[in-house]
Amino acid sequence: MDLPCRWLFRMLLLVAACSGILFALYSVGRRSQEPRAPARSITSPPPFFEPKAPNSGNTKSQLCRHSLSLAIEKDHHFRGLFDLSTPVLLWGSLFTQDLWNNLSQHKVPYGWQGLSHKAIISTLRLLNNPESAELFGASKPRSCIRCAVVGNGGILNGSRQGQKIDAHDYVFRLNGAVIKGYELDVGTKTSFYGFTVNTMKNSLISYSKLGFTSVPQGQDLRYIFIPSSIREYLMLRSAILGVPVPEGPDKGDRPHTYFGPETSASKFKLLHPDFIRYLTQRFLKSKLIDTQFGDMYMPTTGALMLLTAVHTCDQVSAYGFITSNYQKYSDHYFDREMKPVIFYANHDLPLEAALWRGLHNAGILWLFQR
Ligand SMILES: *[C@@H]1O[C@H](CO)[C@@H](O)[C@H](O)[C@H]1NC(C)=O
Ligand SMILES: *[C@@H]1O[C@H](CO)[C@@H](O)[C@H](O)[C@H]1NC(C)=O
C-alpha cells in the first residue's frame, strides 16, 4: 500500500480528529469491521482461466481463449464503464494547445493546474518516438498478451506463486516490490515498475530494512511514471537527459541511482492524466472525493497499475491485491511480523477490493485468492 508523506499523514489524522469525522482511516487489526460489502454475489464465479505454470505446455503463441475484451462485452455493468480506446500513455505527439487548455483545468494527478508549462513541454518533447505511446515494444507476443500484476499484499507470503507469475509475458510490479528472498512467492521477472516519485522514495526509506534497497532494474525493464505532481515530469526529463534533477523537492537527485545507467526514452513511460481521471471517475469514484479530503484522494499505485494492465493486455492475473479475507494476512508479503492492513485517508481500499472482486467474477481478470 502506498505510504503518503509522513507529515501529510499526521496532518490528516489531526484534521480528522479535530473535525470529529471518523474517516476511512482505521487500523483494521484492532476492529472487527468488514469493508463495505460488494453488491455482487461471489458464490458462483464464471469459468475462467487460471494461470498455468511454465511446464504446463502453454505456449505464448496460443490464441487467447479468454480475452478480457470478450468478457467485458458480455458483462452489462462493465461494458458501460470500459473504453478500451482511451489513450493510456501520454507522449509528445499528444501535446497540443487544446490538451494544455483542457488539462490546466484539472488539478494533479488528473491534470496540470498550477504546473509549469515549460517543465511539461520540455519533458514531453523527449517522449517524441511512437514507442512512447506503447507499453509493449517489438517483443510483444502476436496473439495474446498475458500479464501478471504483483501488488505487495501479505497474501503472497508463503503463496508459492513465483513460477506462475514469471510464466506471464509481462510482469508489473510497484512501490516496495521486494524480490530477493521472496522468489518462490513472487517470482523474479519484472517488465514494468510503476510508481510516483513520492511512493518510490517513501518505499526506499520505509522498506529498506525489509529488503527494498533499490528500485528493480534490468535491460528489459520499463518504468511507468504516474504523474501526481511536477516531480514526475522533472524526474522523467532528467532520467532521459542523464542529468541531476534541476529543481523542486528532488533537486540534485541523480535518476540513474534509481533506474540504472540506461537513459533511452523508450525505457520510460508516462501515464496520461486523462487516463487516470477516466479510471477514477468510472471505476474508483470514491465517496471520499466529496469530503474535505477530496483533493488528497487518489487510487493506489497498485490499482493504477492493475487497471493499466487491464487496458493494455489480453489476459490479466492480479497477485497480492486486497481480497475479502485480507485480515488473515499482513499488510505486505515482506513484513517480518504480522502487521494489520492500514487504510490510509488518501485511498479507498474497500472500494478497490469490491472492484477486484467484481472484475474477477465477470471474468475480466483473475484475482489470486486463498
Ligand atoms: C478538450 O476538451 C474538449 C471538450 O471536452 C474536447 O472536445 C477535446 O477533445 C479535448 N481535447 C483534448 C486534446 O483533450
Ligand atoms: C509468513 O508466512 C509464514 C508461514 O508461511 C508465517 O509463519 C509468517 O508469520 C508469515 N509472516 C507474516 C508477516 O505474516
Side-chain angles (χ1 to χ4, degrees), residues 11-32:
M11 189 189 75
L12 281 172
L13 268 175
L14 190 70
V15 178
C18 293
S19 58
I21 292 173
L22 182 62
F23 214 44
L25 177 72
Y26 48 90
S27 168
V28 181
R30 269 168 260 131
R31 290 163 204 264
S32 56

Side-chain angles (χ1 to χ4, degrees), residues 3-16 198 202 205-206 229 231 249 293 296 344-346:
L3 188 72
C5 301
R6 272 164 222 272
W7 64 264
L8 177 63
F9 180 54
R10 289 213 189 98
M11 189 189 75
L12 281 172
L13 268 175
L14 190 70
V15 178
N198 186 45
N202 273 338
I205 294 166
S206 307
S229 68
R231 294 169 71 186
F293 304 110
M296 316 253 83
Y344 285 108
N346 59 338

Side-chain angles (χ1 to χ4, degrees), residues 33-231:
Q33 242 168 313
E34 279 285 315
R36 279 201 301 280
R40 197 178 304 261
S41 150
I42 54 158
T43 45
S44 54
F48 193 54
F49 72 95
E50 200 186 325
K52 302 269 193 328
N55 57 3
S56 67
N58 242 8
T59 63
K60 265 192 194 180
S61 57
Q62 192 175 7
L63 283 174
C64 254
R65 258 192 266 143
H66 303 276
S67 119
L68 64 86
S69 58
L70 286 178
I72 292 169
E73 281 298 300
K74 284 194 203 135
D75 188 279
H76 278 283
H77 172 63
F78 285 116
R79 192 169 53 208
L81 296 184
F82 273 95
D83 175 3
L84 291 176
S85 69
T86 193
V88 169
L89 299 176
L90 179 58
W91 65 295
S93 281
L94 296 184
F95 187 89
T96 56
Q97 187 61 37
D98 202 21
L99 185 74
W100 173 260
N101 294 344
N102 284 5
L103 286 180
S104 296
Q105 291 165 27
H106 302 281
K107 292 181 188 147
V108 286
Y110 317 115
W112 289 338
Q113 200 174 95
L115 303 191
S116 149
H117 181 273
K118 190 167 147 257
I120 285 172
I121 199 166
S122 60
T123 303
L124 295 183
R125 273 200 195 115
L126 298 172
L127 299 173
N128 55 1
N129 189 301
E131 263 186 74
S132 293
E134 304 264 357
L135 269 192
F136 313 119
S139 66
K140 182 161 93 174
R142 264 165 302 156
S143 48
C144 186
I145 303 178
R146 295 172 310 127
C147 299
V149 187
V150 185
N152 297 326
I155 192 171
L156 286 175
N157 173 37
S159 68
R160 297 298 184 261
Q161 295 300 301
Q163 263 206 331
K164 280 189 178 178
I165 289 172
D166 285 348
H168 290 76
D169 299 310
Y170 299 98
V171 179
F172 293 67
R173 300 182 195 268
L174 50 115
N175 293 347
V178 183
I179 290 174
K180 197 166 186 296
Y182 297 91
E183 294 88 347
L184 286 176
D185 290 339
V186 305
T188 57
K189 181 167 168 175
T190 307
S191 319
F192 298 99
Y193 174 79
F195 62 99
T196 72
V197 173
N198 186 45
T199 64
M200 175 184 75
K201 290 175 76 167
N202 273 338
S203 298
L204 286 168
I205 294 166
S206 307
Y207 310 135
S208 65
K209 284 206 192 80
L210 300 176
F212 191 68
T213 50
S214 68
V215 171
Q217 294 180 4
Q219 203 187 350
D220 297 328
L221 198 154
R222 304 278 178 271
Y223 296 99
I224 302 179
F225 282 70
I226 300 168
S228 72
S229 68
I230 198 67
R231 294 169 71 186

Side-chain angles (χ1 to χ4, degrees), residues 1 27-30 329-331 335 337-342:
M1 192 178 327
S27 168
V28 181
R30 269 168 260 131
Y329 306 107
S330 192
D331 197 358
D335 289 334
E337 53 193 47
M338 176 71 184
K339 208 173 133 268
V341 177
I342 307 288

